Amino acid sequence: MFLQNAGRIGNVPKKKFLYSRKGPWPQPSPTEPLGTAPEVLHLPWQEVLDFQVHIGLRYMRDLFVCGPAALVKALGFRELPEIPDDALASALTRGLYSRFLSPLDPADLTTFGVDPSDGVLRYKIDFSPIASVDPYEGMYVAPTITLLRREGPTSPTFAVEAVAIGETELVLRPGDGPSWELAKYFVLQGCSYGTLFTEHPNVHFPYDTINAITKGSIPTDHLLFQLLHPHLRFSLVLDNSVLQSPASVISEFRHTIYDPFTARASDGLMSFFIAGYKGIRDNAAYPGYRYAESTATLGLPPTDYGRFLESYFGPFHWLTQQVVAAMDDDEMSYCEEWARWIRVWIESFPELHHRHVDAAERQRTREKLAFALAVMLWDVTVVHSTDHHDFATDIPVEWKCFRLRVPPPVARDGGTVDRGKLSRRIDLFKSHLAHRMFFAPTTVTKLIDTEYDFGTDALRAVHNEFIERLRRVDADLPSRGIKRFIPLGEIAASIQY
């Protein structure tokens, strides 16, 4: 209701631009202007109100309704579970965490003493950025690099061969007793922080630039606007709340009851954001953010999780190809300017040349535009929802290890691990509450119910066919041997949690 009335003043008809072409607009992050994605700080009141009604009130409800349930679960806590080696390997490679799989760098070969000519397929999972975190007193973090062996290029079977832990990169292997057992908890801790502060932010924040520039520069009757608008709802306010609100789960206030983290945002947690967005030189695990320009650069892991995500890309690309093909020259000229403004903030976004070029270049521009649009729509719907769903349903709260209260091992012959001292009840309470409030999916608008404001029967037929293609992907997953990581009916239409 609120967004539908944006641009109306009294009895004046709806204007051509959503907010009279007066914003919103991206600008450098006030927290990390040189190392993280641009932010949108000045938000239309209509979007703030829309967010508060549909999502903000839900946070308040969950705080009071789910708080007691989290307390009951925390009171029943006695110790963190034992982590068998095969269970760790499975957790690292079967789902969301497989996004961290990366090739070994020369330095890793030296660290682990690996001979690259032995013909064994190996990967690493690297959480070295956590070394910059300064945890609260009595809590501990440790950088880890995990070495994994895979049975074959398409095999689902991996084995953990070793973990290099700490600033000294102490190499521990299965059979190294209590030190090995303790190291596995720090690996899981790295997975949690890496997910929330490295991989997942690149699913959220770069698209705020496209969101804002679309709303601020594209006419509401433009096919580009009509295609994107249903997938832009809630995202700007949500992301601004995460990064700038005093009540954010990424808090500067330790006593926020739903903040499960081991440090304040300013005490090193932002180092993960920077590593994920800006990258780390000579580290294949942190190449830095680039807007995908082909299916090979979508950043998909070489696992069933990647196959699931890739399965849904085709319908989006088909949809955007049909819509872009229907754009006239005036609309394509707007797209050229739209892309130019986006490239000010996202340098890797494709250049789109339409004016003053020949017919062949115009066709290439349409192809690049269709792919770029498919990347965004697929990311803010399928990728975002699947990441949340897997993090919430496949990884138990007790395996997230946000807070560890035992120092990491510094030698192979460490003492006995007391799993009852690794975390406390308050740590589990906060983790359970954050799980329900922020990590578990809470869908407001569904992808499958998306309505586009297309004005022609031909494009309305395209929309119907797009929905049918999504349904076919979902139905065909079992026959293709791909796990359904999230049901189609639970995928959100935008970033809304």
Side-chain angles (χ1 to χ4, degrees):
M1 176 181 70
F2 306 111
L3 299 186
Q4 290 173 348
N5 289 325
R8 294 182 184 271
I9 303 177
N11 294 321
V12 178
K14 186 163 123 179
K15 296 184 179 180
K16 190 176 184 181
F17 294 90
L18 185 61
Y19 300 113
S20 301
R21 212 170 193 176
K22 296 179 180 179
W25 208 256
Q27 65 186 75
S29 163
T31 308
E32 292 287 349
L34 300 181
T36 60
E39 296 183 31
V40 179
L41 301 176
H42 304 288
L43 304 167
W45 67 265
Q46 298 96 329
E47 298 199 16
V48 175
L49 185 57
D50 188 44
F51 175 87
Q52 294 298 347
V53 168
H54 292 94
I55 296 176
L57 291 178
R58 192 267 299 169
Y59 285 140
M60 296 299 296
R61 180 202 68 194
D62 286 352
L63 178 61
F64 291 104
V65 173
C66 301
L71 179 61
V72 170
K73 292 178 180 178
L75 290 174
F77 171 74
R78 295 293 179 267
E79 61 182 15
L80 291 184
E82 183 180 358
I83 309 296
D85 292 356
D86 58 348
L88 176 65
S90 177
L92 295 179
T93 59
R94 68 176 177 257
L96 168 65
Y97 290 169
S98 71
R99 290 167 69 93
F100 296 111
L101 290 168
S102 61
L104 275 65
D105 294 304
D108 303 313
L109 300 176
T110 301
T111 297
F112 292 109
V114 170
D115 180 359
S117 66
D118 63 6
V120 177
L121 181 59
R122 291 186 175 93
Y123 299 88
K124 70 169 179 175
I125 292 182
D126 185 328
F127 297 121
S128 52
I130 205 171
S132 300
V133 173
D134 182 17
Y136 298 127
E137 184 177 355
M139 301 182 195
Y140 300 89
V141 299
T144 60
I145 304 174
T146 303
L147 179 67
L148 297 110
R149 181 184 72 252
R150 191 175 195 177
E151 296 303 317
T154 61
S155 172
T157 304
F158 292 76
V160 178
E161 290 192 324
V163 173
I165 188 168
E167 299 290 347
T168 63
E169 294 189 337
L170 170 68
V171 176
L172 298 169
R173 302 180 188 276
D176 279 338
S179 291
W180 170 253
E181 297 303 319
L182 180 56
K184 290 185 283 188
Y185 294 97
F186 284 93
V187 171
L188 291 174
Q189 181 189 61
C191 287
S192 295
Y193 284 100
T195 295
L196 298 178
F197 293 92
T198 301
E199 281 291 336
H200 202 61
N202 285 345
V203 177
H204 271 253
F205 304 119
Y207 297 99
D208 287 346
T209 289
I210 303 174
N211 187 322
I213 290 175
T214 301
K215 292 171 179 174
S217 68
I218 299 297
T220 57
D221 60 355
H222 193 299
L223 286 178
L224 176 66
F225 184 92
Q226 294 169 353
L227 175 68
L228 292 183
H229 192 233
H231 304 289
L232 307 181
R233 189 179 178 190
F234 303 125
S235 306
L236 291 182
V237 183
L238 175 71
D239 287 350
N240 177 262
S241 298
V242 169
L243 295 173
Q244 301 300 333
S245 171
S248 170
V249 67
I250 309 173
S251 178
E252 286 294 301
F253 182 52
R254 177 175 180 175
H255 301 292
T256 303
I257 67 170
Y258 44 73
D259 167 16
F261 303 128
T262 194
R264 295 178 180 90
S266 59
D267 288 336
L269 290 181
M270 291 303 295
S271 64
F272 274 100
F273 279 84
I274 296 171
Y277 190 75
K278 193 174 182 179
I280 299 176
R281 180 175 295 181
D282 299 325
N283 191 331
Y286 297 93
Y289 175 79
R290 287 192 61 80
Y291 201 94
E293 58 187 16
S294 67
T295 53
T297 59
L298 289 174
L300 297 169
T303 61
D304 273 357
Y305 195 76
R307 292 176 64 205
F308 173 84
L309 296 178
E310 186 177 24
S311 297
Y312 275 103
F313 187 78
F316 284 96
H317 195 196
W318 179 85
L319 169 68
T320 58
Q321 286 174 319
Q322 308 311 306
V323 174
V324 170
M327 291 182 183
D328 59 29
D329 284 344
D330 183 60
E331 288 178 310
M332 288 301 299
S333 295
Y334 265 106
C335 291
E336 181 175 347
E337 288 301 298
W338 171 80
R340 182 175 64 84
W341 289 319
I342 292 171
R343 283 176 53 80
V344 172
W345 301 101
I346 304 175
E347 294 180 358
S348 55
F349 195 81
E351 289 187 85
L352 302 178
H353 299 296
H354 183 77
R355 296 168 294 186
H356 315 301
V357 295
D358 60 24
E361 181 62 24
R362 288 187 174 193
Q363 181 57 35
R364 284 192 289 271
T365 291
R366 288 181 184 271
E367 292 169 0
K368 288 194 292 184
L369 173 59
F371 191 87
L373 292 172
V375 169
M376 179 175 179
L377 297 185
W378 168 78
D379 188 281
V380 302
T381 57
V382 174
V383 178
H384 178 265
S385 293
T386 307
D387 278 3
H388 271 270
H389 190 274
D390 195 67
F391 191 63
T393 61
D394 189 54
I395 309 299
V397 168
E398 292 78 10
W399 280 51
K400 291 187 167 73
C401 300
F402 286 118
R403 292 179 168 185
L404 293 175
R405 295 178 181 265
V406 173
V410 294
R412 290 187 178 86
D413 57 351
T416 303
V417 178
D418 185 343
R419 291 186 281 112
K421 293 183 178 179
L422 285 170
S423 295
R424 297 178 182 172
R425 289 189 176 95
I426 183 62
D427 305 328
L428 271 295
F429 167 73
K430 286 171 171 275
S431 191
H432 278 290
L433 188 53
H435 168 89
R436 182 61 188 87
M437 291 181 66
F438 305 108
F439 308 148
T442 48
T443 302
V444 180
T445 59
K446 298 179 180 180
L447 172 62
I448 201 68
D449 296 331
T450 301
E451 294 290 341
Y452 301 104
D453 194 20
F454 295 144
T456 68
D457 290 340
L459 284 177
R460 283 190 284 269
V462 165
H463 167 231
N464 293 335
E465 173 62 19
F466 167 62
I467 298 300
E468 287 306 309
R469 289 180 179 231
L470 293 176
R471 294 188 191 278
R472 286 199 293 271
V473 168
D474 181 68
D476 290 346
L477 290 171
S479 64
R480 297 175 59 198
I482 301 176
K483 175 184 174 181
R484 182 177 286 110
F485 284 90
I486 183 173
L488 173 60
E490 296 181 24
I491 298 175
S494 64
I495 292 177
Q496 48 196 248
Y497 44 81

